[in-house]
Amino acid sequence: MLSQQHSDTQEPREGFASKVGFIFAAAGSAIGLGNIWRFPWLVGAYGGAIFLVIYLAIIILVGITMFMGEVTLGRYAQRSNVGAFKKINKSYAWVGGIGLIAGFMILSFYSVVGGWVIYYFIRAIIGFGITDPILTDQLFGGFISNPILPILFHAVFMALTIWICYNGVKNGIEKYSNIMMPALLVIVVILAIRSMMLPGAAEGLRFYLVPDFTKITSKTILAALGQVFFSLSLGMGSILTYGSYLGKKENIPQASLMVPFMDTLIAFTAGLVIFPAVFSYGFEPSSGPGLTFVTLPAVFSEMPMGNLFGSAFFFLLLLAALTSAISLLEPIIAYMIEEHGWNRKRASLTLGGTIFIIGAFASLSMGPLSGFKIADLVFFDQLDWISNNLLLPIGGMFTALFISWIWGTDNALREVTNDGLLKFDLGNFWANIMLKYVAPALVFIVFLAGLGLF
Ligand code: TRP
């Protein structure tokens, strides 16, 4: 529908055919490994329900506000990440730049985990047949520490991502986002029911749902903040770039509530799958990035039609991960096309290839290179920690400040209400309170506290 020509670009801008296209694509970006892999891992590592409570609070106080801000800025500017800042004020291009660096780093480890999903998809077809925590642990540990195999699967995942981005937004993103999310939600709900029926499930539910407030630390809050940004795809221009493809008549506030809601629902339900099983089978909840991958094989092994459910689950998770991965690559590609005059082919191949190489080292850091640590973290964990706990919140905070102080809340309000045509009762509160003060201040405080600066 949208295909405006820009004076400074050779290629016409692509756009989504409909608002449903935007919602599905934005939900496709948000829903991914963050919900099924990273969220349960962090809940387990940071003491259970207390993490969940803080996470939900930050979604409401910061996440939704920021999400709406990015969509609004992107649609107004009709540019991708860096270009959007430049269009409003040339001296703030660096805000977008922070996000692009974050995206680069995130995709390089994200694609490695995407490769794990492909491998587990194949294993699930064959059937896992193991419920012993020691054995599922060996399966996972043996695979990710292998010097070759996980890199091959990472290559497949990255090749798929590049291929979709190379074919462009309209034929790519929309087509793959449509059926996948409802299907993923259905299967996660089925798994949650199954998991909650396991013997000893109640203990897992208690861990996940009954908060122990003595466990709050500033590190927990920072990790929750990072996860909000990660899960909602904020702070690096994914949502901003998708916003720029959104039609001028669409309802931004509505779309900005739908997507965080669906995203949170899936993450929450994933916890209902993982934690009852963790406690029932005797896994260690704080076992780190492997938690989902060591727990699920046990669930599928003892479930009626476990092969079918297992393979369907990992297949849907793969699609969800792909729609997220393209939203990480697309802003960087769009930046090179719009700001540096590259064509889509060159941008997809060069950037994707570079990310593949960085990711290969991330994969090796789980095995042959696991001895190289900085601050007790291997390269994979470094990429994850720096991008999610540092770059995304900083990028997001400056984006909020940029929108409200530089671009101005009046302009943002005009855009978000489609020039006043749309009724948005909380508009003023959103722009002048939340975006201008509350969200950036919270991010700043959490950030300093999490780094141990006060
Ligand atoms: N939100 C996605 C997930 O949960 C990952 C993702 C896509 C992302 N685009 C992003 C994370 C931009 C941070 C920034 O799997």
Side-chain angles (χ1 to χ4, degrees):
M1 181 182 97
L2 278 186
S3 80
Q4 291 122 331
Q5 193 81 37
H6 273 304
S7 49
D8 56 349
T9 54
Q10 310 88 330
E11 302 188 7
R13 273 193 81 77
E14 299 181 75
F16 292 117
S18 63
K19 177 179 72 187
V20 177
F22 169 79
I23 289 190
F24 276 124
S29 166
I31 297 164
L33 297 169
N35 307 58
I36 310 278
W37 160 71
R38 203 171 184 273
F39 178 73
W41 150 30
L42 296 183
V43 171
Y46 288 97
I50 187 64
F51 185 89
L52 175 66
V53 170
I54 297 170
Y55 179 81
L56 293 175
I58 297 178
I59 288 270
I60 291 168
L61 290 173
V62 181
I64 295 172
T65 296
M66 294 284 320
F67 193 96
M68 217 179 290
E70 277 200 28
V71 179
T72 307
L73 176 60
R75 193 183 65 169
Y76 167 77
Q78 295 288 305
R79 298 276 200 290
S80 69
N81 194 357
V82 172
F85 292 93
K86 263 195 176 160
K87 177 168 176 168
I88 289 167
N89 187 323
K90 282 222 176 342
S91 12
Y92 289 90
W94 56 270
V95 180
I98 301 175
L100 292 185
I101 297 168
F104 226 88
M105 294 173 69
I106 293 173
L107 187 52
S108 43
F109 69 82
Y110 201 87
S111 171
V112 172
V113 183
W116 301 351
V117 173
I118 301 178
Y119 177 74
Y120 268 63
F121 165 60
I122 297 167
R123 290 297 307 230
I125 300 176
I126 305 166
F128 292 101
I130 36 174
T131 54
D132 183 344
I134 296 173
L135 296 179
T136 66
D137 216 33
Q138 273 174 8
L139 173 72
F140 179 70
F143 170 64
I144 63 162
S145 61
N146 184 294
I148 299 161
L149 212 52
I151 297 182
L152 289 179
F153 285 102
H154 158 54
V156 174
F157 186 88
M158 208 51 225
L160 288 169
T161 308
I162 295 169
W163 180 70
I164 300 170
C165 283
Y166 172 61
N167 283 310
V169 179
K170 208 170 203 153
N171 304 326
I173 296 169
E174 247 175 308
K175 201 164 74 189
Y176 294 87
S177 300
N178 282 345
I179 22 158
M180 179 272 306
M181 258 101 35
L184 184 66
L185 182 61
V186 168
I187 199 158
V188 175
V189 168
I190 294 173
L191 293 179
I193 293 169
R194 164 69 207 177
S195 192
M196 287 189 284
M197 282 166 16
L198 290 167
E203 206 191 326
L205 288 178
R206 200 171 309 120
F207 175 81
Y208 183 44
L209 299 175
V210 185
D212 173 355
F213 285 96
T214 62
K215 283 191 190 151
I216 296 191
T217 66
S218 51
K219 293 234 170 344
T220 309
I221 305 178
L222 179 62
L225 178 74
Q227 175 62 10
V228 167
F229 277 86
F230 185 87
S231 198
L232 294 181
S233 305
L234 296 173
M236 78 133 307
S238 286
I239 296 303
L240 188 157
T241 303
Y242 282 6
S244 78
Y245 302 135
L246 183 62
K248 284 287 182 194
K249 291 202 204 77
E250 311 299 355
N251 186 329
I252 296 180
Q254 199 184 31
S256 310
L257 284 178
M258 279 282 278
V259 176
F261 176 76
M262 287 198 279
D263 185 74
T264 307
L265 185 66
I266 294 203
F268 176 76
T269 316
L272 294 178
V273 179
I274 300 296
F275 291 103
V278 162
F279 282 81
S280 177
Y281 289 107
F283 292 102
E284 178 52 56
S286 61
S287 64
L291 186 66
T292 292
F293 288 91
V294 296
T295 310
L296 285 177
V299 176
F300 294 128
S301 296
E302 265 194 351
M303 174 171 188
M305 295 190 294
N307 295 21
L308 183 73
F309 278 108
S311 45
F313 171 81
F314 282 112
F315 182 70
L316 291 169
L317 182 57
L318 173 62
L319 292 185
L322 276 172
T323 53
S324 299
I326 52 188
S327 84
L328 282 158
L329 189 53
E330 178 62 24
I332 323 177
I333 291 178
Y335 166 72
M336 293 314 279
I337 294 176
E338 288 174 19
E339 304 296 324
H340 294 278
W342 287 23
N343 62 34
R344 189 162 270 278
K345 180 177 180 186
R346 175 172 172 209
S348 324
L349 292 177
T350 313
L351 298 167
T354 313
I355 289 168
F356 166 72
I357 293 169
I358 301 173
F361 282 99
S363 180
L364 289 173
S365 79
M366 309 288 240
L369 301 182
S370 61
F372 294 99
K373 289 187 179 176
I374 307 172
D376 211 31
L377 297 176
V378 298
F379 184 53
F380 181 102
D381 298 330
Q382 288 282 348
L383 286 172
D384 178 282
W385 202 89
I386 294 171
S387 50
N388 299 317
N389 292 2
L390 298 185
L391 297 179
L392 293 183
I394 294 179
M397 181 184 78
F398 282 117
T399 305
L401 292 173
F402 176 84
I403 295 173
S404 45
W405 296 89
I406 308 295
W407 185 30
T409 48
D410 289 347
N411 289 325
L413 274 171
R414 201 169 306 130
E415 181 69 29
V416 84
T417 57
N418 302 351
D419 286 325
L421 289 176
L422 209 86
K423 203 161 126 28
F424 178 26
D425 292 336
L426 288 174
N428 211 358
F429 176 70
W430 165 71
N432 287 311
I433 310 271
M434 297 308 282
L435 200 62
K436 199 165 183 177
Y437 299 104
V438 177
L442 275 177
V443 171
F444 190 63
I445 293 167
V446 170
F447 183 72
L448 290 187
L451 292 184
L453 297 182
F454 68 80

